[in-house]
Amino acid sequence: MSMATTGLLAKTLNEHQAALLEVWLGGMLSRMVRRDKVAEGEIRQQATRFLPEVAATLEKSQNHEFDSPAWADVRQTLAEISLGRVRQGYSSTDTAAFIFSLKEPLFAVLRQTMAHDPDTMTAVLTEAGTLFDRMGLFTVEEYQRGRESVIMRQQQELLELSTPVVQLWKDVLALPLIGTLDSARTQVVMENLLQKIIETGASIAIIDITGVPTVDTLVAQHLLKTVAAARLMGADCIISGIRPQIAQTIVHLGVNLEEVTTKATLADAFLVALKRVGATVTRAEQSF
């Protein structure tokens, strides 16, 4: 975009700002699926902030290169809007529509005000279209980045929720595992277990794998790493939930669990743990 066309676009945005805002907002609000006062007010606030910011940037920098430093404030505004749309559950299409829905009313004003000079009108329309298309793509990029960040955070939170460490008795912890045990989850399991050992001073940790569907070489290695880390913190581990199929798989894979106490059920492992910490369990006699 030449300095002349940049200046003309800035002038158009400034002189027709009120009319553009009215038509632009009307179009966006009419397409809203969820109509409420809070959402409408937020969109009005964003549009009222964005349009003067674009006009001021064009006027000040005489530069249409959206990726240049001159457009940093506009990019920041769009990034904030895109991230907000992610949190509110909008789609990437809805997010990009914030920019693309402005093109139609802007182009209509440009055609009207420059009808006397078709060549200049064509140049401004072409360059303005390029600029706003880049802005629209930027909102999609920021939306995807924000969405990925939210998904990663949710996955981390689910990992932490799916690996609770429970204190069963003084000096005895239990870590029930459900689902696949991969490298990322092993790290969370290890961190949660070690932190709980530090907090409670436990000497026994029961790792229950009843809810782990399959145990392969990788899963076995992850379990052994967790056991080794707990031992370094002064706690012995007992692995419970060893079903016949898992026992056969472990033997077939040649995984060495000789130094680790294993039990078929969590109840059996708990009894062993109680004996190790010097506790006794007696069955109360029932009278009928």
Side-chain angles (χ1 to χ4, degrees):
M1 186 182 290
S2 67
M3 292 183 63
T5 53
T6 301
L8 286 172
L9 181 57
K11 181 181 178 182
T12 302
L13 290 173
N14 281 321
E15 292 181 353
H16 300 272
Q17 189 174 128
L20 282 171
L21 273 173
E22 183 179 355
V23 178
W24 182 26
L25 283 169
M28 284 194 291
L29 296 177
S30 66
R31 286 190 289 268
M32 285 182 62
V33 177
R34 298 171 296 180
R35 294 295 297 270
D36 61 77
K37 295 297 183 182
V38 175
E40 289 183 15
E42 186 176 39
I43 289 177
R44 288 182 183 278
Q45 183 181 27
Q46 291 169 349
T48 304
R49 171 188 175 186
F50 174 75
L51 200 56
E53 200 168 40
V54 172
T57 302
L58 284 168
E59 192 173 37
K60 181 179 178 180
S61 68
Q62 296 293 305
N63 177 5
H64 75 287
E65 296 295 335
F66 184 67
D67 296 323
S68 68
W71 289 86
D73 290 342
V74 178
R75 290 197 301 271
Q76 180 63 30
T77 298
L78 289 178
E80 292 173 2
I81 292 172
S82 298
L83 184 57
R85 299 294 173 91
V86 171
R87 293 169 178 164
Q88 293 163 355
Y90 287 89
S91 68
S92 57
T93 302
D94 294 332
T95 304
F98 178 79
I99 295 297
F100 293 135
S101 59
L102 175 59
K103 289 177 66 176
E104 184 176 345
L106 174 60
F107 284 12
V109 171
L110 290 172
R111 292 190 186 96
Q112 181 181 357
T113 57
M114 298 183 183
H116 63 283
D117 190 348
D119 292 338
T120 301
M121 178 182 67
T122 301
V124 175
L125 286 173
T126 301
E127 300 298 346
T130 301
L131 173 62
F132 279 84
D133 285 346
R134 180 66 189 95
M135 289 183 186
L137 291 175
F138 178 81
T139 62
V140 175
E141 292 167 0
E142 288 299 307
Y143 176 92
Q144 295 295 346
R145 187 177 292 110
R147 183 66 179 155
E148 289 171 5
S149 176
V150 169
I151 291 173
M152 289 180 65
R153 186 174 66 252
Q154 290 173 341
Q155 289 176 337
Q156 183 67 23
E157 291 171 352
L158 287 173
L159 280 175
E160 293 175 357
L161 288 173
S162 65
T163 54
V165 182
V166 182
Q167 185 165 6
L168 297 180
W169 197 266
K170 186 180 181 340
D171 294 334
V172 180
L173 300 177
L175 175 61
L177 298 178
I178 299 174
T180 304
L181 191 63
D182 55 18
S183 298
R185 191 174 180 205
T186 299
Q187 185 64 31
V188 175
V189 166
M190 196 179 301
E191 290 175 358
N192 289 353
L193 179 58
L194 297 182
Q195 183 61 37
K196 197 69 173 180
I197 290 173
I198 293 173
E199 293 175 359
T200 62
S203 58
I204 304 291
I206 302 171
I207 302 176
D208 184 68
I209 62 171
T210 304
V212 177
T214 59
V215 174
D216 54 18
T217 304
L218 189 61
V219 171
Q221 289 175 351
H222 291 325
L223 287 173
L224 291 175
K225 287 179 181 178
T226 303
V227 170
R231 281 178 175 168
L232 289 174
M233 300 300 298
D236 287 330
C237 286
I238 301 172
I239 298 179
S240 65
I242 305 292
R243 304 185 298 276
Q245 300 90 336
I246 290 180
Q248 292 176 22
T249 301
I250 290 175
V251 171
H252 179 71
L253 294 173
V255 177
N256 185 9
L257 293 179
E258 293 180 359
E259 297 182 1
V260 182
T261 302
T262 59
K263 290 294 178 180
T265 67
L266 178 59
D268 293 337
F270 186 39
L271 286 174
V272 172
L274 289 176
K275 290 179 181 179
R276 288 189 182 181
V277 298
T280 58
V281 179
T282 58
R283 185 187 298 272
E285 293 188 9
Q286 298 178 348
S287 59
F288 298 93

